[in-house]
Structures are given as C-alpha cells and as structure tokens.
C-alpha cells in the first residue's frame, strides 16, 4: 500500500506515485488544484487563436480544462466570404460603375435626332435602372456567413445537476380565416413548437385567432390532446422534423437505421393516432361549412362569443401548461394559449400588426419571456434546435447585448422542381441577406424571427451611437423640423424613460401586486412617486401589470401574482380601446401604416441603434408553404409592393427619416431600395415597350454604333454577366434560381408592382381602397395541380399586352426586312435582340397561361388583343416620327437636263 505524504508539487498528476491514484488524499489535492486553476482562469486574460480555441498559457494538458474553456468561448463566429471570391466581385462592381459612366457619357452625347422621343425615354429608364442597381448592389459589399456552437451554449447555460439557465421564449402563431388557412396546417405548426428541443418550462406558444372562429378554437383543443402523445414520442426518438404531417410524408426507409423494435412499434401506433387526429380535424372543418342560423354554441350551451367576427369580446384560453396537465409519460408540457383580441365597430384594428401587438401584451402579462419568436400558421419548426441556434447570438455575453433580432431564411415545401415563378426567392435569402448581415443585419422581422422584447418596446440599444440630444425621430439637418425637435428634446424629453424609472422598479412591482384590481386612481399620497408611471401609461397604456413587465429585462412575472389576476389583466390589454392615445404602433411594438409591417418594424429597431443577425443553419430552421400558381404569386408580390409604397409615402420613409440614429449608410441604402423598387415598374414597362415600337416604326434608340460604342456596349453586357456569376459563386446560388429570379423581376415589375404603385397612391393620397379580386377556376388533380390552376385577375393584362406587342413587332420588323432587301437586316438585329430579351423574360408568364391545356384563356386573349390594337391605332394616328408638314421632298442629285 502506498502511503500519502506531504505534497512536493502543486500538480497532483506529477505526484501520482506519491499520492496514489484514487486515494482520498489524491482526490482532495485534485479538487484543490482544480479550484486554484479555476481562479487562475478568471484572472488570466485568454488568448483567442484562429481556430477558436482559448488558452491561458500552460494548462492545455489537463483533460478537464478544455471543457471549462469551451463554456467560456464565444457562442457564434462570423465567417467572412473568402477573399478569392469576394475581391473579384468587388472589383467587377467598381469596373461596372466606371463602364456605366462611359456608357451614359456616350448615350447622352449621341442623341437620335430622328427618334428623339424614343431616345429620351430610353435614357431616363436606363438612368433609373443604374441608380436602382446601385441601391441594390452596394449593400452586398461585406457579405458574411455565421457559425453557431450549440455545445458551448449547453456548457454555459445547462450545467449538469442544475436547472437550465437558457432564456425563456414566447412563440407567436397568427391565423385569421380557418377556411383559407386550414386548421390542420396550423395544428402541425403548433405541434412542432410544443415538441421543440428546449426546456419545456421556457417555452410558451400563443395562437392568435384574429377571426374569432370556433373552428380554430376546437382544432386547438384537439391539438392539445394529441400533443400529449406526440411530444414525448418526438423527444424520445429525437425526430426531425417534429411536425407530424411532414415527418410521416418523408420518403425515407425508417427501418434502415432504426433497428430498435420498440421504435418501429411506437411509430406505427403514432401514425395511426395521427390519422385519427386528422379525421377529427377534417370533421370539424366539414361541420364548419354550414353555420347554424343562430350561430355556434359551446359545449355548455352558451353562444360562442365570436359569432360576430367584427363585434366580440376578447377571449383567452390556456390549454396546456396549467392545472397539472402532463403528457402520457407524466412529463410537463409547454404552455399553449389561445388568444382572440376584442373587436368592436368604430375601432381601427390594424390587421396583423394589431394582432401581433395584442400578443406582445398578453404574453408579457402571462409569461413575459425576454425573447419572442414570430411564425406564420403555415411555417412549422423544421429544425428542433432552432431556438438554441438563435440563443447562440442573443445570449452571447458580449455580442448579444446589441442584437434586437435573429432572422432565419424562409424555406418552402411543395414547390415544383423548376420553381417557375421564383417562389423560393433564393437570391434574396442567400445573397442579399448575407450582404446585409455584414453591415447591420437583415432589414425585416418576418416569419421565423427571434427578437428581443426590450427592443420591440422601443428602447434604445445599450450603447448609444447617436449624438446627445438626438432621437430616432430626428429628421435631416436641413429640415426645420429637425431643429425644433432637438430644441424640444434638449429640455429633457429625449431622456430614456426606462432610466428614469430604474430606481423605482421595486416599488412599482409592489404597487402593481397590491393594486391589480383597483388600478392607480385615487392614490393621492403617492402622487409624486407615480409621475413617471403616468409617462409609462402614455407610452404603453393603462396597465400597471404590463408596465411592470417592461422593466424586467430578463423577463418573468412579478412574484406573488395569481393566475386569475393575470388572466383578468390579460383580457384588459387586448381590449380594442387599449392602444388609444398611446405609442403602440408608432414607437412601440409592430409599427402601423403599412401592410409590410415587418420592414417598418425592423427599420425602427435599427434606428434605435440595434443590429440584427442572419442565421442559416445546416438544417433549415423553418419551412412553410408558398402560393405556386401564377395568380396567387402575383397577388403575394402585390401585397409586398403595396406595403413598400405605403412606407415610401409615409413619414417613416428611410429617405428622410431616422438620420443621426445609428443607422449605417449602406443599411439605409437597403431600406431605401426596399421602398422605392415598385417605382421601377414605370421605366420597366416603358423599356419593354420600346423594342416593339422600334420594330413597328423602323426607328431605333441608338444611333449608328461606332467602334468605341461597340466596346462600351460589350463591356457593359460582360460586366452584367460577370456580376451575376460572381454573386452566384459566393452566395451558393444555382444559375437556374438566379435566372428565375431575373425573369420574375420583369414579370412582377410589369404587373404587381405597377398595380401596387397606383393602388398605394390612391390609398395614401386619396384615401381610396382598391381591391383586385381573384376568381378561381377548376384545376387539375395530381401533384403540383395548383401550379396549373388559373385564376383571373387584372394583374395579368399588362404582361400579356407586352408579349403580344413584342411578338407583333417582331413579325412586322422581319416582314419589312424581307421586303426592303439585304441591307435592312443589319439594323434589324439590334431591335430583334431587345424584343427577344423581353419575350424570354416573360416566358414563364406565358407558360403559366398555357398550363396543361396548351391554350390561353379567352378573357386574356380578348383583353390583350384589344389593348394592343388600341395602342397600334393610336400610334398610327399620332406617330411622332411622321412629318407634320406633309411629304418631305429632297433633291435627288441627278441633272434632268
């Protein structure tokens, strides 16, 4: 037996022969040594190597230390694009700017005198395209990618034997019409949320039913029952994805790598359970098709409060996470809450943005998680670790303090392989967003976005980047409004209201608990101490419970509250008059004034000095559905473009709003581009019409090209192609996706963007709401049948007219060339090139009409031929290239004598 003797060194590993491995003395010495090493690690400055490892100099040989160091390392890492890919891209951008300068120098100095109107029109269009390209291109100057470390997140916040320290997350699911948004799809989204790989006590799911439909309520009740079986099954076998519809639809052999007979047996049983669940949901949908004359009644015989969709009280029902409801294995389940805000005639409800703000207030009263996740009812969680991915940024001790939201790319199911109408939008999500991430972050808070609650409340980022005396409401320096606002703010109004209340936080919480039912009226003795409370009420509304929650940066509800009192307060904060005379929708929450509230809300957050992050995990975090037929796709683009026009015509337009507020110039470029792009529809349609006009009249927008001009034109075309190729290279986008994006840019610009521009002008300037209705027609059955489904809409007329005009122009131009001989073919090629450019870009549009029947709908043919005929007749009548003085006589040069 080896005897323990006094130590000869501080390292017990070196004295193993003296202490004896495993003896009590050796273990005590080992614990003492680890403690000293831990103290040393807290003091010594760590050095970060290129590979991300941290070393304090001499402890890398200890097997315990790497685990401790790993928990102190950054939770994410920024990966710049390789210089071999990005530097040529930047160089070609600069070269293209130079070539554009030479191009416009030549074009402006060489007008076409015999076709001055066409030449001037083309110059104006080309200048607009160049400016639009600059606004779109330069925000991509610093593209980055990011890498997360989920193991480090667990080591830091999920220590063995201790409760999880991960931050809580409130998840919002919004739905309106259960007939247009099937309850089964919403149920799958909710089930994927409840089964997410995250501590159950840290997750709360709030479903907003803005249509107050009993069908949605009953479907959610069925979903909560099925979740008691589905959630433990997912976590037991670590399934992906955790939406049952998409899990069981996978074409994989689940028996190949799963040899456990228990899994096979339970999977088959769960599939039977899910099929029965679908039958129950579909039965509810079938029953909802016929509404009783007296309206729906609940199980207790009382009328359903939401029978009148436009006039009903607020409703809240907690399905899971209370009253000891557990899953079939006895484990706790995440909270599931049904919310339908109050609606009354005469009140403005602000559509989806108002519903989301109601969810913010309800969740703050009930659970008050410091972070929120927003998903549409058809976007399920495809990666069960998506919340952990977001927390790698949000909970990073250093970089996470200034991040207001983490945006994930949108990925879609059910789209045809060729993606005819660019539904995947890969160029935007994999190229544009990576570029923005290198500047200040993504520009919108769309579906699949995890954001900080404090940033949504309108608070400034921790480190203020704007000069003293300015607020994010400040206008440009040259504007007199800016001077007045600075003068007004200099008296102290611009001071952060949260800092004013910092010292009163404890007393406010106590006051809230004591006066939940009574409110704040009638407390004359505390009038002076409640003055800041009045300022809070003007900002957040008259709910002391909610105001108290806004002061808790780490979330949570005040201790001592009861469920009954919180639910009563939750009903109060979703009342239709709660937002009156407050800053909700102006400076707090989702911002009103546009149907694209996600862009406007993100813009306001960035104006407060926050930055955002774009995260692309290897397994897509979220997946959803997208409209794949032509009409629905155009109406989706119409809605986005209309929202941009509304922002452009509002006071929040990034061209003149938010200067001196920490918004970086390139980020402002991207926001400006996001609101002005519908204006491109006017020059685009004019430019697509010019080739046909040139072919019909025999004129051209370019004079006879010299050698110098040929070089400039060729250099411009090469630079355009090179820019696209290099973008595809560093963005990882295929040429098919890039080309489909280019085609739909023309299709959408000639249709949806044009209608959005006029509709926005009518709505903002004249107060006229114009709706473009869609009438459905029967589609074919089978896979991707919706792709061939045709729906009549007026959006289809302008592109079809462009197609017919260009086809007629080609026929006329070729006929004239045949009649005029060989010499006329040379000038014809340039005109044919531009006309074919238009037709090739509109080819998916033409194919959408053909469908499987290979024939055009009669209504489209009639409208397009009618417009093309009117245009041709008007052109013949007012041809500007025909001399107004009659026939021009010229001297032939022959001596007749």
């Amino acid at each position: 037996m080896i005897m323990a003797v006094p130590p000869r060194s501080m390292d017990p590993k070196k004295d193993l022969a003296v202490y004896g491995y495993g003896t009590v003395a050796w273990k005590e010495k080992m614990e003492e040594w680890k403690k000293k090493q831990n103290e040393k690690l807290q003091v010594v400055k760590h050095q970060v190597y290129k590979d991300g490892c941290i070393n304090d100099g001499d402890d890398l040989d200890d097997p315990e230390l790497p685990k401790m160091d790993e928990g102190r390392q950054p939770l994410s890492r920024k990966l710049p694009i390789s210089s071999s890919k990005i530097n040529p891209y930047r160089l070609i951008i600069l070269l293209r700017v130079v070539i554009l300068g030479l191009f416009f120098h030549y074009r402006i100095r060489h007008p076409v005198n015999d076709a001055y109107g066409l030449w001037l029109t083309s110059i104006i269009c080309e200048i607009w395209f160049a400016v639009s390209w600059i606004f779109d291109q330069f925000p991509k100057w610093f593209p980055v990618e990011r890498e997360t470390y989920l193991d480090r997140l667990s080591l830091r916040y999920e220590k063995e034997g201790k409760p999880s320290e991960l931050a809580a997350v409130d998840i919002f699911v919004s739905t309106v019409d259960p007939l247009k948004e099937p309850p089964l799809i919403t149920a799958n989204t909710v089930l994927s949320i409840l089964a997410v790989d995250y501590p159950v006590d840290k997750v709360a799911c709030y479903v907003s039913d803005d249509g107050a439909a009993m069908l949605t309520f009953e479907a959610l009740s069925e979903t909560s029952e099925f979740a008691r079986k589905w959630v433990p099954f997912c976590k037991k076998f670590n399934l992906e994805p955790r939406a049952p519809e998409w899990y069981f639809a996978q074409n994989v052999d689940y028996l190949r790598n799963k040899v456990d007979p228990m899994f096979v047996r339970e999977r088959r049983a769960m599939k039977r359970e899910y099929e029965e669940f679908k039958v129950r949901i579909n039965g509810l949908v079938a029953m909802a098709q016929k509404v009783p004359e007296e309206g729906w009644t609940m199980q207790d015989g009382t009328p359903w409060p939401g029978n009148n969709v436009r006039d009903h009280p607020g409703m809240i029902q907690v399905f899971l996470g209370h009253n000891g409801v557990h899953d079939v294995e006895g484990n706790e389940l995440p909270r599931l809450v049904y919310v339908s805000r109050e609606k009354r005639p005469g009140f403005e409800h602000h559509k989806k943005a108002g519903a989301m703000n109601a969810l913010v207030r309800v969740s703050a009263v009930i659970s008050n998680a410091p972070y929120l996740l927003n998903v549409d009812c058809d976007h399920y969680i495809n990666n069960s670790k998506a919340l952990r991915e977001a927390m790698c940024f949000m909970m990073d001790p250093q970089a996470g303090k200034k991040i207001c939201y983490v945006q994930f790319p949108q990925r879609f199911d059910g789209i045809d392989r060729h993606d005819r109408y660019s539904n995947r939008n890969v160029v935007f999500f994999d190229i544009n967003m990576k570029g923005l991430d290198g500047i200040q972050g993504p520009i919108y808070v769309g579906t699949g976005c995890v954001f900080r609650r404090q940033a949504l409340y309108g608070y400034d980022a921790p480190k203020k980047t704007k000069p003293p005396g300015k607020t994010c409401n400040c206008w440009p320096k040259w504007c007199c409004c800016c001077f007045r606002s600075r003068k007004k703010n200099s008296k102290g109004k611009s001071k952060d209201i949260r800092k004013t209340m910092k010292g009163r936080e404890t007393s406010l919480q106590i006051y809230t608990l004591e006066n939940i039912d009574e409110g704040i009226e009638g407390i004359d003795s505390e009038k002076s101490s409640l003055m800041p409370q009045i300022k809070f009420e003007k900002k957040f509304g008259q709910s002391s419970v909610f105001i108290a929650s806004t002061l808790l940066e780490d979330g949570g509800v005040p201790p001592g509250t009861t469920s009954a009192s919180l639910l009563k307060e939750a009903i109060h904060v979703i009342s239709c008059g709660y937002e009156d005379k407050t800053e909700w929708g102006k400076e707090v929450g989702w911002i009103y004034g546009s149907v694209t509230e996600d862009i406007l809300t993100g813009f306001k957050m960035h104006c407060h000095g926050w930055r955002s992050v774009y995260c692309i995990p290897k397994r897509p975090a979220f997946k959803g559905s997208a409209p794949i037929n032509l009409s629905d796709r155009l109406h989706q683009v119409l809605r986005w473009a209309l929202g941009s026009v509304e922002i452009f015509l509002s006071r929040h337009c990034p061209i003149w709003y938010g200067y001196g507020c920490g918004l970086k110039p390139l980020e402002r470029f991207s926001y400006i581009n996001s609101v002005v792009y519908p204006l491109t529809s006017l020059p685009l349609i004019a430019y697509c019409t010019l080739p046909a006009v040139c072919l019909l009249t025999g004129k051209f927008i370019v004079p006879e090209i010299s050698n110098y001009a040929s070089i400039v034109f060729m250099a411009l075309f090469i630079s355009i192609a090179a820019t696209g190729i290099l973008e595809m290279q560093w963005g990882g986008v295929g040429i098919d996706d890039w080309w489909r994006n280019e085609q739909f840019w023309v299709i959408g610009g000639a249709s949806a963007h044009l209608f959005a521009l006029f509709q926005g002008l009518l709505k903002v300037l004249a107060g006229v709401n114009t709706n473009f209705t869609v009438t459905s027609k029967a589609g074919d059955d089978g896979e991707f049948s919706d792709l061939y489904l045709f729906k009549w809409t007026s959006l289809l007329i302008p592109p079809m007219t462009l197609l017919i005009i260009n086809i007629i122009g080609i026929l006329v131009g070729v006929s004239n060339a045949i009649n005029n001989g060989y010499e006329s073919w040379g000038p014809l090629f340039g005109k044919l090139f531009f006309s074919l450019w238009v037709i090739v870009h509109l080819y998916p549009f033409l194919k959408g009409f053909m469908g499987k029947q290979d024939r055009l709908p009669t209504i489209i043919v009639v409208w397009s031929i009618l417009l093309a005929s009117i245009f041709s007749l008007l052109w013949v009548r007012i041809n500007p290239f025909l001399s107004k003085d009659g026939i021009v006589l010229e001297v032939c040069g022959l001596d007749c004598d």
Side-chain angles (χ1 to χ4, degrees), residues 487-514:
K487 185 177 180 180
K488 187 175 182 180
N489 290 332
S490 63
K491 296 181 181 180
K493 190 172 181 179
S494 62
K495 191 175 183 180
D496 190 357
I497 193 171
R498 182 175 53 171
K499 290 186 176 181
T500 305
M501 290 294 296
K502 200 69 176 180
R504 309 179 188 270
E505 180 173 339
T506 305
S507 62
L508 180 59
Q509 291 180 25
I510 297 174
Y511 173 80
T512 298
L513 297 179
E514 294 175 351

Side-chain angles (χ1 to χ4, degrees), residues 79-277:
L79 303 175
I81 304 297
S82 172
S83 59
S84 61
K85 295 181 179 179
I86 196 61
N87 287 339
Y89 175 71
R90 293 169 178 165
L91 178 61
I92 203 66
I93 289 178
L94 297 178
L95 288 176
R96 185 170 171 180
V97 172
V98 174
I99 293 171
L100 280 173
L102 298 175
F103 171 79
F104 285 116
H105 179 267
Y106 170 80
R107 292 281 282 130
I108 295 174
R109 291 183 62 108
H110 294 79
V112 183
N113 295 323
D114 62 341
Y116 192 82
L118 293 179
W119 169 83
L120 182 61
T121 302
S122 65
I123 287 295
I124 295 174
C125 295
E126 289 162 359
I127 291 175
W128 178 266
F129 294 151
V131 174
S132 178
W133 173 78
I134 289 174
F135 279 113
D136 180 68
Q137 204 71 37
F138 276 89
K140 307 174 189 175
W141 193 263
F142 303 103
V144 298
E145 295 177 347
R146 296 184 184 272
E147 187 177 57
T148 57
Y149 304 102
L150 301 181
D151 52 346
R152 297 177 184 175
L153 180 74
S154 297
L155 286 173
R156 182 183 292 270
Y157 295 108
E158 293 183 301
K159 298 177 181 178
E160 187 176 357
K162 297 183 179 179
S164 174
E165 298 178 2
L166 290 173
V169 182
D170 288 340
I171 304 176
F172 299 161
V173 182
S174 57
T175 182
V176 180
D177 188 350
L179 299 180
K180 294 182 179 179
E181 300 166 337
L184 185 62
I185 301 299
T186 304
N188 272 270
T189 301
V190 172
L191 290 171
S192 69
I193 294 171
L194 298 178
V196 71
D197 184 7
Y198 208 73
V200 293
D201 58 324
K202 306 286 186 177
V203 177
C205 177
Y206 294 84
V207 180
S208 171
D209 178 18
D210 218 31
M214 190 173 180
L215 172 58
T216 303
F217 181 85
E218 293 292 342
L220 204 60
S221 177
E222 291 286 350
T223 303
S224 64
E225 287 298 318
F226 180 71
R228 299 179 62 245
K229 305 173 185 177
W230 174 253
V231 172
F233 174 71
C234 291
K235 294 186 176 182
K236 182 177 182 180
F237 297 105
N238 196 24
L239 304 182
E240 295 286 359
R242 299 190 177 181
E245 183 69 22
W246 301 104
Y247 170 72
F248 291 120
Q250 295 180 114
N251 294 323
V252 295
D253 184 7
Y254 67 94
L255 296 175
R256 178 176 300 175
N257 297 321
K258 300 289 186 179
V259 295
D260 187 1
M262 180 183 296
F263 168 77
V264 177
R265 182 171 59 255
E266 292 192 20
R267 185 187 186 278
R268 290 173 178 171
M270 185 55 62
K271 189 172 183 179
R272 288 193 299 269
E273 292 282 354
Y274 178 64
E275 293 297 331
E276 294 176 1
F277 169 73

